[in-house]
Amino acid sequence: MAMGKYIIKRLIQMLLALVIVSFGVFMIINLIPGTPAEVLAGTNASEEQLQALNVKFGLDKPLLVRYFIWLKNVLHADLGNAVISGQPIAEMLASKLGATIELTLVATALSIILSLPLGIACAMKPNGPLDKICTGFSAIFFAIPGFWLGILLMLLFALVLHFLPPSGTVGFLEDPWGHVQSLMLPALTISLGMAAKTIRYLRAALMDALHQDYIITASARGVPPKKVTYRHALRNALIPVVTVIGLQMGDLFGGALIIEQIFGWPGIGKLTIQAINWRDYNLLQGTVLYIVLSFMLVNLLVDILNALTDPRIRLE
C-alpha cells in the first residue's frame, strides 16, 4: 500500500517536472540561431519566402502561444510533425527507439559482467595487485572522454586490426553477424566508462559494508566468509551501485548522443543531433521530452529496486 502511494506521488511529481522542463527547453530551443524556414529555403531565399514558410509552420506566432499549442497537442498524445521531413515525430522516435534500447542493454550488460566480479575482488583484497590494476583502469576510463575513447577503439579495431566495422549498422535479420559486429564498438565504448565508475562505487561500498559491526559479529560467530560477504555485505553494498547503474542507464535510454553520432548508430541520440542541425524545433522538442521522460522513469525504477533490496528504505 505504501509503495503504491509512493509511486503515485512520484508520477505526479514527474508530470509537474515535465511541464516545467518542457517550458524551459522550448524557450532555449527557440533561442538557437537559425530557423527551420532558413534551412528549407536555403541561403539565397528572400524575406517574403522566409515569411511564408514561418507562417506555414506557425513560427510567426509569439513563443508563449506556440508553447501552449504544443503542450495542448502533447496532452492529446500528439507530438506533431517534423518541420523538415514532415513525418510524425512519434513515428520517428519509435523507429529509433529499438536501436537505442539495444545499445543501452548490451552496454549495461557488458559493464556489469566486467565490473561486478572485479569490484568484489578488489574489495576482498584491498591494495593487492588486482586492486591496483583495477584502480588504474577505473582512473583512466573514468576520466577519458567517451568520444575520444570511441575514436581510439575505432582506430584500433577497425583501421589497425580490421576486426570490426568503423561505423554504420545492418539489420539483424539481413546479416546477424554483421549486426553484432557493428554493435560491438559503440557498446564497448560506453561499457568501459560505465564499468570504471561501477567498480569504484562497488569497491568503496563493499569495503565499507565489510567493516560494519554486524559483519564483524557474524564472522566472530563462525559464519562462513562467503556467506557473510555475498549474503549480507554485498546486498547492502549493491544499493548505491544499483543507483549508479540506473542513472547511467537513464542517460543511455535518452540516447548516447556523441557515441551514436561517431559510430553512425541509428538511435535517439543521432536523431537529436539531426534535429539540432536542421533547426527543427518540433523534432528537437519531441526528442528532449522523450529523453527527460526516460530518465525520470528509470530513476523511479531505481528507487523502487532499492526499496525492494533494503526494506528499511520502504519503511522510511
Side-chain angles (χ1 to χ4, degrees), residues 8-77:
I8 293 173
K9 180 180 177 181
R10 284 293 300 273
L11 290 175
I12 294 174
Q13 291 174 345
M14 285 170 53
L15 181 61
L16 294 175
L18 277 175
V19 173
I20 295 172
V21 170
S22 67
F23 177 78
V25 171
F26 189 89
M27 295 301 165
I28 293 173
I29 288 174
N30 282 272
L31 293 177
I32 298 176
T35 65
E38 293 175 0
V39 176
L40 282 173
T43 56
N44 297 322
S46 64
E47 287 295 328
E48 291 76 12
Q49 291 174 317
L50 291 176
Q51 183 62 27
L53 287 173
N54 285 329
V55 172
K56 177 181 178 181
F57 298 124
L59 300 177
D60 59 323
K61 297 182 176 66
L63 277 179
L64 285 178
V65 174
R66 286 160 52 192
Y67 171 74
F68 284 111
I69 291 174
W70 176 84
L71 183 61
K72 177 184 175 182
N73 292 334
V74 169
L75 293 176
H76 288 85

Side-chain angles (χ1 to χ4, degrees), residues 179-231:
H179 181 79
V180 172
Q181 285 183 309
S182 64
L183 174 62
M184 289 310 298
L185 273 181
L188 183 62
T189 301
I190 295 171
S191 64
L192 287 174
M194 292 180 67
K197 184 178 293 186
T198 305
I199 289 173
R200 295 181 67 175
Y201 276 90
L202 178 57
R203 176 185 180 276
L206 186 54
M207 286 181 63
D208 180 67
L210 288 171
H211 288 86
Q212 296 297 317
D213 291 339
Y214 70 94
I215 296 295
I216 298 173
T217 302
S219 299
R221 290 180 176 178
V223 179
K226 287 187 177 180
K227 186 176 181 180
V228 171
T229 300
Y230 292 101
R231 186 172 179 178

Side-chain angles (χ1 to χ4, degrees), residues 63-309:
L63 277 179
L64 285 178
V65 174
R66 286 160 52 192
Y67 171 74
F68 284 111
I69 291 174
W70 176 84
L71 183 61
K72 177 184 175 182
N73 292 334
V74 169
L75 293 176
H76 288 85
D78 180 16
L79 293 176
N81 297 333
V83 175
I84 303 300
S85 66
Q87 294 178 269
I89 294 173
E91 292 182 5
M92 296 179 71
L93 290 172
S95 66
K96 305 296 184 182
L97 185 59
T100 292
I101 291 176
E102 180 184 17
L103 179 60
T104 298
L105 295 180
V106 172
T108 302
L110 287 175
S111 71
I112 291 174
I113 292 171
L114 180 64
S115 61
L116 288 189
L118 289 178
I120 293 171
C122 291
M124 296 299 293
K125 295 182 179 180
N127 299 319
L130 180 61
D131 184 32
K132 293 179 181 179
I133 293 173
C134 291
T135 301
F137 166 85
S138 297
I140 292 172
F141 288 100
F142 185 79
I144 188 170
F147 72 90
W148 182 241
L149 177 60
I151 293 173
L152 293 178
L153 292 177
M154 184 188 297
L155 291 173
L156 175 62
F157 288 102
L159 300 182
V160 177
L161 300 178
H162 302 286
F163 181 66
L164 296 172
S167 63
T169 183
V170 294
F172 181 80
L173 297 179
E174 179 184 347
D175 183 2
W177 176 237
H179 181 79
V180 172
Q181 285 183 309
S182 64
L183 174 62
M184 289 310 298
L185 273 181
L188 183 62
T189 301
I190 295 171
S191 64
L192 287 174
M194 292 180 67
K197 184 178 293 186
T198 305
I199 289 173
R200 295 181 67 175
Y201 276 90
L202 178 57
R203 176 185 180 276
L206 186 54
M207 286 181 63
D208 180 67
L210 288 171
H211 288 86
Q212 296 297 317
D213 291 339
Y214 70 94
I215 296 295
I216 298 173
T217 302
S219 299
R221 290 180 176 178
V223 179
K226 287 187 177 180
K227 186 176 181 180
V228 171
T229 300
Y230 292 101
R231 186 172 179 178
H232 300 288
L234 184 59
R235 182 175 181 178
N236 287 332
L238 284 177
I239 294 174
V241 175
V242 169
T243 302
V244 171
I245 294 175
L247 293 177
Q248 292 180 97
M249 288 186 68
D251 288 336
L252 294 178
F253 275 123
L257 275 70
I258 305 301
I259 302 302
E260 289 184 6
Q261 185 70 14
I262 290 174
F263 292 104
W265 188 257
I268 300 293
K270 187 177 180 181
L271 182 63
T272 304
I273 297 295
Q274 290 175 342
I276 295 173
N277 292 334
W278 294 340
R279 305 296 190 273
D280 194 323
Y281 299 155
N282 292 351
L283 179 57
L284 186 55
Q285 185 76 5
T287 58
V288 171
L289 182 68
Y290 160 78
I291 291 171
V292 174
L293 179 60
S294 62
F295 187 85
M296 288 181 175
L297 289 175
V298 171
N299 198 14
L300 173 60
L301 179 60
V302 167
D303 289 343
I304 294 173
L305 288 176
N306 282 337
L308 295 176
T309 303

